[in-house]
Coordinates of all heavy atoms in Angstrom, one line a residue:
M149 N -77.6 33.3 123.4 CA -78.3 32.1 123.0 C -78.2 31.9 121.5 O -78.3 32.8 120.7 CB -79.8 32.3 123.4 CG -80.7 31.2 122.9 SD -80.5 29.6 123.7 CE -81.0 30.1 125.4
I150 N -77.8 30.7 121.1 CA -77.7 30.3 119.7 C -78.8 29.3 119.4 O -78.9 28.2 120.1 CB -76.3 29.7 119.4 CG1 -75.2 30.6 119.9 CG2 -76.2 29.5 117.9 CD1 -75.0 31.9 119.2
I151 N -79.7 29.6 118.5 CA -80.8 28.7 118.1 C -80.4 28.1 116.8 O -80.2 28.8 115.8 CB -82.1 29.4 118.0 CG1 -82.4 30.1 119.4 CG2 -83.2 28.5 117.6 CD1 -83.5 31.2 119.3
L152 N -80.2 26.8 116.7 CA -79.7 26.1 115.5 C -80.9 25.3 115.0 O -81.2 24.3 115.6 CB -78.5 25.2 115.9 CG -77.3 26.0 116.5 CD1 -76.6 25.1 117.5 CD2 -76.4 26.4 115.4
Q153 N -81.4 25.7 113.8 CA -82.5 24.9 113.2 C -82.0 24.0 112.2 O -81.5 24.4 111.1 CB -83.5 25.9 112.6 CG -84.1 26.8 113.6 CD -85.0 27.8 113.0 OE1 -85.3 27.8 111.8 NE2 -85.6 28.7 113.8
G154 N -82.0 22.7 112.5 CA -81.6 21.7 111.5 C -82.8 21.3 110.7 O -83.9 22.0 110.7
R155 N -82.7 20.3 109.8 CA -83.8 19.9 108.9 C -85.0 19.5 109.7 O -86.1 19.9 109.3 CB -83.3 18.8 108.0 CG -84.2 18.6 106.8 CD -83.8 17.3 106.1 NE -82.4 17.3 105.7 CZ -81.9 17.6 104.5 NH1 -82.8 17.9 103.5 NH2 -80.6 17.6 104.2
T156 N -84.9 18.7 110.7 CA -86.1 18.2 111.4 C -86.1 18.6 112.9 O -87.2 18.4 113.5 CB -86.1 16.7 111.4 OG1 -85.0 16.2 112.1 CG2 -86.1 16.2 110.0
R157 N -85.1 19.2 113.4 CA -85.2 19.6 114.8 C -84.3 20.8 115.1 O -83.4 21.1 114.4 CB -84.9 18.5 115.8 CG -83.4 18.0 115.7 CD -83.2 16.8 116.7 NE -81.9 16.2 116.4 CZ -80.8 16.6 117.0 NH1 -80.8 17.6 117.9 NH2 -79.7 16.0 116.7
S158 N -84.7 21.5 116.2 CA -84.0 22.7 116.6 C -83.3 22.5 117.9 O -83.8 21.8 118.8 CB -85.1 23.8 116.7 OG -84.4 25.1 117.1
T159 N -82.1 23.1 118.0 CA -81.3 22.9 119.2 C -80.9 24.3 119.7 O -80.5 25.2 118.9 CB -80.0 22.1 118.9 OG1 -80.4 20.9 118.3 CG2 -79.2 21.9 120.1
E160 N -80.9 24.5 121.0 CA -80.4 25.8 121.6 C -79.2 25.5 122.4 O -79.1 24.5 123.1 CB -81.5 26.4 122.5 CG -82.8 26.8 121.8 CD -83.8 27.4 122.7 OE1 -83.5 27.6 123.9 OE2 -84.9 27.8 122.1
T161 N -78.3 26.5 122.3 CA -77.0 26.4 123.1 C -76.6 27.8 123.5 O -77.0 28.8 122.9 CB -76.0 25.6 122.3 OG1 -74.9 25.3 123.2 CG2 -75.5 26.4 121.1
Q162 N -75.7 27.8 124.4 CA -75.1 29.1 124.9 C -74.1 29.7 123.9 O -73.3 28.9 123.3 CB -74.4 28.8 126.2 CG -73.9 30.0 126.9 CD -75.0 30.9 127.4 OE1 -76.0 30.4 127.9 NE2 -74.9 32.2 127.2
A163 N -74.2 31.0 123.7 CA -73.2 31.6 122.8 C -71.9 31.6 123.5 O -71.8 31.8 124.8 CB -73.6 33.1 122.6
V164 N -70.8 31.4 122.7 CA -69.4 31.5 123.3 C -68.6 32.3 122.4 O -68.4 32.0 121.2 CB -68.8 30.1 123.4 CG1 -67.4 30.2 124.0 CG2 -69.7 29.1 124.2
Q165 N -68.1 33.4 122.9 CA -67.3 34.4 122.1 C -66.1 33.7 121.5 O -65.4 32.9 122.2 CB -66.8 35.5 123.0 CG -65.9 36.5 122.3 CD -65.5 37.6 123.3 OE1 -65.8 37.6 124.4 NE2 -64.8 38.6 122.7
G166 N -65.9 33.9 120.2 CA -64.7 33.4 119.5 C -65.0 32.0 118.9 O -64.1 31.5 118.1
K167 N -66.1 31.4 119.2 CA -66.4 30.1 118.6 C -67.2 30.2 117.3 O -68.0 31.2 117.1 CB -67.3 29.2 119.5 CG -66.5 28.8 120.8 CD -65.7 27.6 120.6 CE -65.2 27.1 121.9 NZ -64.1 26.0 121.7
T168 N -67.0 29.3 116.4 CA -67.8 29.4 115.1 C -69.2 28.7 115.4 O -69.3 27.9 116.4 CB -67.2 28.6 114.0 OG1 -67.1 27.2 114.3 CG2 -65.8 29.1 113.7
L169 N -70.1 29.1 114.6 CA -71.5 28.5 114.7 C -71.3 27.0 114.5 O -72.1 26.2 115.2 CB -72.4 29.0 113.6 CG -72.8 30.5 113.8 CD1 -73.6 31.0 112.6 CD2 -73.6 30.7 115.1
L170 N -70.4 26.5 113.7 CA -70.3 25.1 113.5 C -69.7 24.4 114.8 O -70.2 23.3 115.2 CB -69.4 24.7 112.3 CG -69.2 23.2 112.1 CD1 -70.5 22.5 111.8 CD2 -68.2 23.0 110.9
E171 N -68.8 25.0 115.4 CA -68.2 24.5 116.6 C -69.3 24.4 117.7 O -69.4 23.4 118.4 CB -67.1 25.4 117.2 CG -65.8 25.2 116.3 CD -64.8 26.3 116.7 OE1 -65.1 27.4 117.1 OE2 -63.6 26.0 116.5
L172 N -70.1 25.4 117.8 CA -71.2 25.4 118.8 C -72.3 24.3 118.4 O -72.8 23.6 119.3 CB -71.9 26.8 118.9 CG -70.9 27.8 119.4 CD1 -71.6 29.2 119.3 CD2 -70.6 27.5 120.9
A173 N -72.6 24.2 117.1 CA -73.5 23.2 116.7 C -73.0 21.8 117.0 O -73.8 20.9 117.5 CB -73.8 23.3 115.2
L174 N -71.8 21.5 116.7 CA -71.2 20.2 117.0 C -71.2 19.9 118.5 O -71.6 18.8 118.9 CB -69.8 20.1 116.4 CG -69.7 20.1 114.9 CD1 -68.3 20.1 114.4 CD2 -70.5 19.0 114.3
S175 N -70.8 20.9 119.3 CA -70.7 20.6 120.7 C -72.1 20.4 121.3 O -72.3 19.7 122.3 CB -69.9 21.6 121.5 OG -70.5 22.9 121.4
A176 N -73.1 21.1 120.7 CA -74.5 20.9 121.2 C -75.2 19.7 120.6 O -76.4 19.5 120.9 CB -75.3 22.2 120.9
K177 N -74.5 19.0 119.7 CA -75.0 17.8 119.1 C -76.3 18.2 118.3 O -77.3 17.5 118.2 CB -75.4 16.7 120.0 CG -74.1 16.2 120.8 CD -74.3 14.8 121.3 CE -73.1 14.3 122.1 NZ -71.8 14.7 121.8
A178 N -76.2 19.4 117.7 CA -77.3 19.8 116.8 C -77.3 19.0 115.5 O -76.3 18.4 115.2 CB -77.1 21.3 116.5
E179 N -78.5 19.0 114.8 CA -78.6 18.3 113.5 C -77.9 19.3 112.5 O -78.6 20.3 112.1 CB -80.1 18.1 113.3 CG -80.3 17.4 112.0 CD -81.8 17.3 111.7 OE1 -82.5 18.3 111.9 OE2 -82.3 16.3 111.2
W180 N -76.7 19.0 112.1 CA -75.9 20.0 111.4 C -74.9 19.3 110.5 O -74.0 18.6 111.1 CB -75.2 21.0 112.4 CG -75.1 22.4 111.9 CD1 -74.0 22.9 111.3 CD2 -76.1 23.3 111.9 NE1 -74.3 24.2 111.0 CE2 -75.6 24.5 111.4 CE3 -77.5 23.3 112.4 CZ2 -76.4 25.7 111.3 CZ3 -78.2 24.5 112.3 CH2 -77.6 25.6 111.7
G181 N -74.9 19.4 109.3 CA -73.9 18.8 108.4 C -72.7 19.7 108.2 O -72.8 20.9 108.3
S182 N -71.6 19.0 108.0 CA -70.3 19.7 107.7 C -69.3 18.7 107.2 O -69.6 17.5 107.3 CB -69.8 20.4 109.0 OG -69.4 19.4 109.9
S183 N -68.3 19.2 106.6 CA -67.3 18.3 106.1 C -65.9 18.9 106.3 O -65.2 18.6 107.3 CB -67.5 17.9 104.7 OG -66.5 17.0 104.3
C184 N -65.5 19.9 105.5 CA -64.1 20.3 105.5 C -63.7 21.2 106.7 O -62.6 21.2 107.1 CB -63.9 21.2 104.2 SG -64.7 22.8 104.2
Q185 N -64.7 21.9 107.2 CA -64.4 22.8 108.3 C -63.4 23.9 108.0 O -62.8 24.5 108.9 CB -64.0 22.1 109.6 CG -65.1 21.1 110.0 CD -65.0 20.6 111.4 OE1 -64.4 21.1 112.2 NE2 -65.8 19.5 111.7
R186 N -63.2 24.2 106.7 CA -62.3 25.3 106.4 C -62.8 26.2 105.2 O -62.1 26.9 104.6 CB -60.9 24.8 106.1 CG -60.9 23.8 105.0 CD -59.5 23.1 104.9 NE -59.5 21.9 104.1 CZ -59.4 21.9 102.8 NH1 -59.3 23.0 102.2 NH2 -59.5 20.8 102.1
G187 N -64.1 26.1 105.0 CA -64.7 27.1 104.1 C -64.8 26.7 102.7 O -64.9 27.6 101.8
T188 N -64.6 25.5 102.3 CA -64.6 25.1 100.9 C -65.8 24.3 100.5 O -66.2 24.4 99.3 CB -63.3 24.4 100.5 OG1 -63.1 23.3 101.3 CG2 -62.1 25.3 100.7
C189 N -66.3 23.4 101.3 CA -67.3 22.4 100.8 C -68.7 23.0 100.8 O -69.6 22.5 100.1 CB -67.3 21.1 101.6 SG -68.0 21.3 103.3
A190 N -69.0 24.0 101.7 CA -70.3 24.6 101.8 C -71.4 23.6 102.4 O -72.5 24.0 102.3 CB -70.8 25.2 100.5
R191 N -71.0 22.5 102.9 CA -72.0 21.6 103.5 C -72.6 22.2 104.8 O -73.6 21.8 105.2 CB -71.4 20.2 103.8 CG -71.2 19.5 102.5 CD -71.1 18.0 102.8 NE -72.1 17.5 103.6 CZ -72.1 16.3 104.3 NH1 -71.0 15.7 104.2 NH2 -73.1 15.9 105.0
C192 N -71.9 23.2 105.3 CA -72.3 23.8 106.6 C -73.1 25.1 106.3 O -73.3 25.9 107.2 CB -71.1 24.1 107.5 SG -70.1 25.4 106.8
R193 N -73.4 25.4 105.0 CA -74.0 26.7 104.7 C -75.3 26.9 105.5 O -76.0 25.9 105.8 CB -74.4 26.7 103.2 CG -74.9 28.1 102.7 CD -75.2 28.1 101.3 NE -76.5 27.5 101.0 CZ -77.5 28.1 100.2 NH1 -77.2 29.2 99.5 NH2 -78.6 27.5 100.1
C194 N -75.5 28.1 105.9 CA -76.6 28.4 106.8 C -77.2 29.8 106.5 O -76.5 30.6 105.9 CB -76.2 28.3 108.3 SG -74.9 29.4 108.8
L195 N -78.4 30.0 106.9 CA -79.1 31.3 106.8 C -79.2 31.9 108.2 O -79.8 31.3 109.1 CB -80.4 31.1 106.1 CG -81.3 32.3 105.9 CD1 -80.6 33.3 105.0 CD2 -82.7 32.0 105.4
I196 N -78.7 33.1 108.3 CA -78.8 33.8 109.6 C -80.2 34.5 109.6 O -80.5 35.4 108.9 CB -77.7 34.9 109.8 CG1 -76.3 34.2 109.5 CG2 -77.8 35.5 111.1 CD1 -76.0 33.1 110.4
V197 N -81.1 34.0 110.5 CA -82.4 34.5 110.6 C -82.4 35.7 111.4 O -83.2 36.7 111.1 CB -83.4 33.4 111.2 CG1 -84.8 33.9 111.4 CG2 -83.4 32.1 110.4
Q198 N -81.6 35.7 112.4 CA -81.6 36.8 113.4 C -80.2 36.9 114.0 O -79.6 35.9 114.2 CB -82.6 36.6 114.5 CG -82.6 37.6 115.6 CD -83.3 37.1 116.9 OE1 -84.0 36.1 116.8 NE2 -83.1 37.8 118.0
G199 N -79.6 38.1 114.1 CA -78.4 38.3 114.8 C -77.1 38.4 114.0 O -76.0 38.1 114.5
M200 N -77.2 38.7 112.7 CA -76.0 38.9 111.9 C -75.0 39.8 112.5 O -73.8 39.6 112.4 CB -76.4 39.3 110.5 CG -75.2 39.4 109.5 SD -74.6 37.8 109.1 CE -75.5 37.4 107.6
D201 N -75.5 40.8 113.2 CA -74.6 41.8 113.8 C -73.9 41.2 115.0 O -73.0 41.9 115.6 CB -75.3 43.1 114.1 CG -76.5 42.9 115.1 OD1 -76.9 41.7 115.3 OD2 -77.0 43.8 115.7
Q202 N -74.3 40.1 115.4 CA -73.6 39.4 116.6 C -72.5 38.5 116.1 O -71.9 37.8 116.9 CB -74.7 38.5 117.3 CG -76.0 39.2 117.7 CD -75.8 40.1 118.9 OE1 -75.3 39.7 119.9 NE2 -76.1 41.4 118.7
L203 N -72.3 38.5 114.8 CA -71.2 37.6 114.2 C -70.1 38.5 113.7 O -70.3 39.6 113.2 CB -71.8 36.8 113.1 CG -72.9 35.8 113.5 CD1 -73.5 35.2 112.3 CD2 -72.4 34.7 114.5
E204 N -68.9 37.9 113.7 CA -67.8 38.6 113.1 C -68.0 38.7 111.6 O -68.8 38.0 111.0 CB -66.5 37.9 113.3 CG -66.1 37.8 114.8 CD -65.7 39.2 115.4 OE1 -65.5 40.1 114.6 OE2 -65.5 39.3 116.6
P205 N -67.4 39.7 110.9 CA -67.6 39.9 109.5 C -67.3 38.7 108.6 O -66.6 37.8 109.0 CB -66.7 41.0 109.1 CG -66.4 41.7 110.4 CD -66.4 40.7 111.4
V206 N -67.9 38.7 107.4 CA -67.7 37.6 106.4 C -66.2 37.4 106.1 O -65.5 38.4 106.0 CB -68.5 38.0 105.1 CG1 -68.2 37.0 104.0 CG2 -70.0 38.0 105.4
T207 N -65.8 36.2 106.1 CA -64.3 35.9 105.9 C -64.0 35.9 104.4 O -64.9 35.7 103.6 CB -64.0 34.6 106.5 OG1 -64.6 33.5 105.8 CG2 -64.3 34.5 108.0
D208 N -62.7 35.9 104.1 CA -62.3 35.7 102.7 C -62.8 34.4 102.1 O -63.2 34.3 101.0 CB -60.8 35.8 102.6 CG -60.2 37.2 102.8 OD1 -61.0 38.1 102.9 OD2 -59.0 37.3 103.0
G209 N -62.8 33.4 103.0 CA -63.2 32.1 102.5 C -64.7 32.1 102.1 O -65.1 31.5 101.1
E210 N -65.5 32.8 102.8 CA -66.9 32.9 102.5 C -67.1 33.8 101.2 O -68.0 33.4 100.4 CB -67.7 33.6 103.7 CG -67.8 32.7 104.9 CD -68.5 33.3 106.0 OE1 -67.8 34.2 106.6 OE2 -69.6 33.0 106.3
W211 N -66.3 34.8 101.1 CA -66.4 35.6 99.8 C -66.1 34.7 98.6 O -66.7 34.8 97.6 CB -65.5 36.8 99.9 CG -66.0 38.0 100.7 CD1 -65.5 38.4 101.8 CD2 -67.1 38.8 100.3 NE1 -66.2 39.5 102.3 CE2 -67.2 39.8 101.4 CE3 -68.0 38.8 99.3 CZ2 -68.2 40.8 101.4 CZ3 -69.0 39.8 99.3 CH2 -69.1 40.8 100.3
D212 N -65.1 33.8 98.8 CA -64.7 32.9 97.7 C -65.8 31.9 97.4 O -66.0 31.5 96.2 CB -63.4 32.2 98.0 CG -62.2 33.2 98.0 OD1 -62.3 34.3 97.5 OD2 -61.1 32.8 98.5
R213 N -66.4 31.4 98.4 CA -67.3 30.2 98.2 C -68.7 30.5 98.0 O -69.4 29.8 97.2 CB -67.2 29.3 99.5 CG -67.9 28.0 99.4 CD -67.3 27.1 98.3 NE -67.9 25.9 98.1 CZ -69.0 25.7 97.4 NH1 -69.6 26.7 96.8 NH2 -69.6 24.5 97.3
L214 N -69.2 31.6 98.5 CA -70.6 32.0 98.4 C -70.8 33.1 97.3 O -69.8 33.9 97.1 CB -71.2 32.5 99.7 CG -71.2 31.5 100.9 CD1 -71.6 32.1 102.2 CD2 -72.1 30.3 100.5
E215 N -71.9 33.1 96.7 CA -72.2 34.2 95.7 C -72.5 35.5 96.5 O -73.1 35.4 97.6 CB -73.4 33.8 94.9 CG -73.2 32.5 94.0 CD -72.1 32.7 93.0 OE1 -71.9 33.8 92.5 OE2 -71.4 31.7 92.7
P216 N -72.3 36.7 95.8 CA -72.6 37.9 96.5 C -74.1 38.0 96.9 O -74.4 38.5 98.0 CB -72.3 39.0 95.4 CG -71.3 38.3 94.6 CD -71.6 36.9 94.6
E217 N -75.0 37.4 96.1 CA -76.4 37.5 96.4 C -76.7 36.7 97.7 O -77.6 37.0 98.4 CB -77.2 36.9 95.2 CG -77.1 37.6 93.9 CD -75.8 37.3 93.2 OE1 -75.3 36.2 93.3 OE2 -75.4 38.2 92.4
E218 N -76.0 35.5 97.8 CA -76.2 34.7 99.0 C -75.8 35.5 100.3 O -76.5 35.5 101.3 CB -75.4 33.4 98.9 CG -75.9 32.5 97.8 CD -75.0 31.3 97.8 OE1 -73.9 31.4 97.2 OE2 -75.4 30.2 98.3
L219 N -74.7 36.2 100.2 CA -74.2 37.0 101.3 C -75.2 38.1 101.6 O -75.5 38.4 102.8 CB -72.8 37.5 101.0 CG -71.7 36.5 100.9 CD1 -70.5 37.1 100.3 CD2 -71.4 35.9 102.3
D220 N -75.8 38.7 100.5 CA -76.8 39.8 100.7 C -78.0 39.2 101.4 O -78.6 39.9 102.2 CB -77.2 40.4 99.4 CG -76.2 41.3 98.8 OD1 -75.2 41.7 99.5 OD2 -76.3 41.7 97.6
E221 N -78.3 38.0 101.1 CA -79.6 37.4 101.7 C -79.4 36.9 103.1 O -80.3 36.6 103.8 CB -80.0 36.2 100.8 CG -80.6 36.7 99.4 CD -80.8 35.6 98.4 OE1 -80.7 34.4 98.9 OE2 -80.9 35.9 97.2
G222 N -78.1 36.8 103.5 CA -77.9 36.4 104.9 C -77.3 35.0 105.1 O -77.3 34.5 106.2
Y223 N -76.8 34.5 104.0 CA -76.2 33.2 104.1 C -74.8 33.3 104.6 O -74.1 34.3 104.2 CB -76.2 32.4 102.7 CG -77.6 31.9 102.4 CD1 -78.4 32.7 101.5 CD2 -78.0 30.7 102.8 CE1 -79.7 32.2 101.2 CE2 -79.3 30.2 102.5 CZ -80.1 31.0 101.7 OH -81.4 30.6 101.4
R224 N -74.3 32.4 105.4 CA -73.0 32.3 105.9 C -72.5 30.8 105.8 O -73.3 29.9 105.6 CB -72.9 32.8 107.3 CG -73.2 34.2 107.6 CD -72.3 35.2 107.1 NE -70.9 35.0 107.6 CZ -70.4 35.7 108.6 NH1 -71.1 36.6 109.2 NH2 -69.1 35.5 109.0
L225 N -71.2 30.6 106.0 CA -70.7 29.3 106.2 C -70.5 29.1 107.7 O -69.8 29.9 108.3 CB -69.4 29.1 105.5 CG -69.5 29.2 104.0 CD1 -68.1 29.1 103.4 CD2 -70.3 28.1 103.4
S226 N -71.2 28.2 108.3 CA -71.2 28.1 109.8 C -69.8 27.8 110.3 O -69.5 28.1 111.5 CB -72.2 27.2 110.3 OG -72.1 25.9 109.8
C227 N -68.9 27.2 109.5 CA -67.5 26.9 110.0 C -66.7 28.2 110.0 O -65.6 28.2 110.5 CB -66.9 25.8 109.2 SG -66.5 26.3 107.5
Q228 N -67.2 29.2 109.4 CA -66.4 30.5 109.3 C -67.0 31.6 110.1 O -66.4 32.6 110.4 CB -66.4 31.0 107.8 CG -65.8 29.9 106.9 CD -64.3 29.8 107.1 OE1 -63.5 30.7 107.1 NE2 -63.9 28.5 107.5
A229 N -68.3 31.5 110.5 CA -69.0 32.6 111.1 C -68.7 32.5 112.7 O -69.2 31.6 113.3 CB -70.5 32.5 110.9
V230 N -68.0 33.5 113.2 CA -67.6 33.5 114.6 C -68.5 34.4 115.4 O -68.8 35.5 115.0 CB -66.1 34.0 114.6 CG1 -65.7 34.2 116.1 CG2 -65.2 33.0 113.9
V231 N -68.9 33.9 116.5 CA -69.7 34.6 117.5 C -68.9 35.7 118.2 O -67.8 35.5 118.6 CB -70.4 33.6 118.5 CG1 -71.2 34.3 119.5 CG2 -71.2 32.6 117.8
R232 N -69.5 36.9 118.3 CA -68.8 38.0 118.8 C -68.8 38.1 120.3 O -67.9 38.7 120.9 CB -69.5 39.3 118.3 CG -69.1 39.8 117.0 CD -69.4 41.2 116.8 NE -68.6 41.8 115.8 CZ -69.0 42.6 114.8 NH1 -70.2 42.8 114.7 NH2 -68.1 43.0 114.0
S233 N -69.8 37.6 121.0 CA -69.8 37.7 122.5 C -70.6 36.6 123.1 O -71.4 35.9 122.4 CB -70.4 39.1 122.9 OG -71.8 39.0 123.0
N234 N -70.4 36.4 124.4 CA -71.1 35.4 125.1 C -72.6 35.8 125.3 O -73.4 34.9 125.7 CB -70.5 35.2 126.5 CG -69.1 34.7 126.4 OD1 -68.7 34.0 125.4 ND2 -68.3 34.9 127.5
D235 N -72.9 37.1 125.1 CA -74.3 37.5 125.2 C -75.1 37.5 123.9 O -76.2 37.9 123.8 CB -74.3 39.0 125.7 CG -73.7 39.1 127.1 OD1 -73.8 38.1 127.9 OD2 -73.1 40.1 127.3
A236 N -74.4 37.0 122.8 CA -75.0 37.1 121.5 C -76.3 36.2 121.4 O -76.5 35.2 122.1 CB -74.1 36.5 120.5
T237 N -77.3 36.7 120.6 CA -78.5 36.0 120.3 C -78.5 35.8 118.8 O -78.6 36.8 118.1 CB -79.7 36.7 120.8 OG1 -79.7 36.8 122.2 CG2 -81.0 35.9 120.4
V238 N -78.4 34.6 118.4 CA -78.3 34.3 116.9 C -79.3 33.2 116.6 O -79.2 32.1 117.3 CB -76.9 34.0 116.5 CG1 -76.9 33.7 115.0 CG2 -75.9 35.1 116.8
E239 N -80.1 33.3 115.6 CA -81.0 32.2 115.2 C -80.5 31.9 113.8 O -80.4 32.8 112.9 CB -82.4 32.7 115.2 CG -83.4 31.6 114.8 CD -84.8 32.0 114.9 OE1 -85.1 33.1 115.5 OE2 -85.7 31.3 114.4
V240 N -80.3 30.6 113.5 CA -79.7 30.2 112.3 C -80.3 28.9 111.8 O -80.6 28.0 112.6 CB -78.1 30.1 112.4 CG1 -77.7 29.2 113.6 CG2 -77.4 29.7 111.2
Q241 N -80.5 28.8 110.5 CA -81.0 27.6 109.8 C -79.9 27.0 109.0 O -79.3 27.6 108.2 CB -82.2 28.0 108.9 CG -83.4 28.5 109.6 CD -84.5 28.8 108.6 OE1 -84.3 29.0 107.4 NE2 -85.7 28.9 109.1
H242 N -79.8 25.7 109.1 CA -78.8 25.0 108.3 C -79.5 24.8 106.9 O -80.6 24.3 106.7 CB -78.6 23.6 108.9 CG -77.5 22.8 108.2 ND1 -77.6 21.5 107.9 CD2 -76.3 23.2 107.7 CE1 -76.5 21.1 107.3 NE2 -75.7 22.1 107.2
K243 N -78.7 25.3 105.9 CA -79.3 25.4 104.5 C -78.2 24.9 103.5 O -77.8 25.7 102.7 CB -79.7 26.8 104.2 CG -80.9 27.3 104.9 CD -82.2 26.9 104.2 CE -83.4 27.6 104.9 NZ -84.6 27.2 104.2
P244 N -77.8 23.7 103.6 CA -76.9 23.2 102.5 C -77.6 23.2 101.2 O -78.8 23.2 101.1 CB -76.6 21.8 103.0 CG -77.7 21.4 103.8 CD -78.3 22.6 104.4
Y245 N -76.8 23.1 100.1 CA -77.3 23.1 98.8 C -78.1 21.8 98.5 O -79.0 21.8 97.7 CB -76.2 23.2 97.7 CG -75.6 24.6 97.8 CD1 -74.2 24.7 98.2 CD2 -76.2 25.7 97.4 CE1 -73.6 25.9 98.2 CE2 -75.6 27.0 97.5 CZ -74.3 27.0 97.9 OH -73.7 28.2 97.9
F246 N -77.7 20.7 99.1 CA -78.4 19.4 98.9 C -78.4 18.6 100.1 O -77.7 18.9 101.1 CB -77.6 18.6 97.7 CG -76.2 18.5 97.9 CD1 -75.6 17.5 98.7 CD2 -75.3 19.5 97.4 CE1 -74.2 17.4 98.8 CE2 -74.0 19.4 97.5 CZ -73.4 18.4 98.3
Ligands
LIG939 S1 -67.7 22.6 106.7 FE1 -67.0 22.9 104.6 S2 -67.5 25.0 104.2 FE2 -68.0 24.7 106.3

């Protein structure tokens, strides 16, 4: 289960191994901003509330785009964060800079 908290509403969708959080958000029609889909604009930045261990490790693109403190606090780029299994439970809040 992937719980996607947008600014004004929350959407739940099934976890799919190998998909990014952004791909799942878009297919679920969640309230979720994005632009480049390749880890540079950060419009898809999000905070992992629960289930970081259910995601593949931080990518080089995320290391380049996010500050170390943000990564420590649990921020990811949803276009880069890949779900590890169909059984994953991840709760995530969309947290763009603006
Ligand atoms: S959509 Fe641009 S960084 Fe994710």
Side-chain angles (χ1 to χ4, degrees):
M149 174 70 65
I150 309 292
I151 303 163
L152 300 149
Q153 297 176 4
R155 194 186 307 257
T156 63
R157 67 183 167 87
S158 182
T159 303
E160 294 182 2
T161 191
Q162 187 64 43
V164 180
Q165 181 179 0
K167 294 279 190 188
T168 66
L169 292 174
L170 178 60
E171 287 169 332
L172 295 172
L174 293 175
S175 63
K177 302 199 184 327
E179 182 186 39
W180 215 261
S182 66
S183 181
C184 71
Q185 303 198 14
R186 55 190 167 84
T188 56
C189 73
R191 287 199 53 201
C192 69
R193 189 180 79 135
C194 60
L195 179 64
I196 309 301
V197 178
Q198 177 195 346
M200 185 67 91
D201 60 344
Q202 311 281 307
L203 299 172
E204 296 292 348
V206 171
T207 66
D208 288 348
E210 290 175 288
W211 282 112
D212 288 346
R213 187 63 182 81
L214 298 174
E215 299 296 329
E217 298 77 29
E218 294 176 281
L219 294 166
D220 283 350
E221 289 167 17
Y223 286 94
R224 297 289 304 262
L225 296 175
S226 56
C227 67
Q228 302 293 300
V230 173
V231 175
R232 277 199 154 132
S233 89
N234 294 338
D235 298 328
T237 299
V238 181
E239 182 176 351
V240 56
Q241 292 178 341
H242 188 222
K243 292 272 188 182
Y245 294 112
F246 50 86

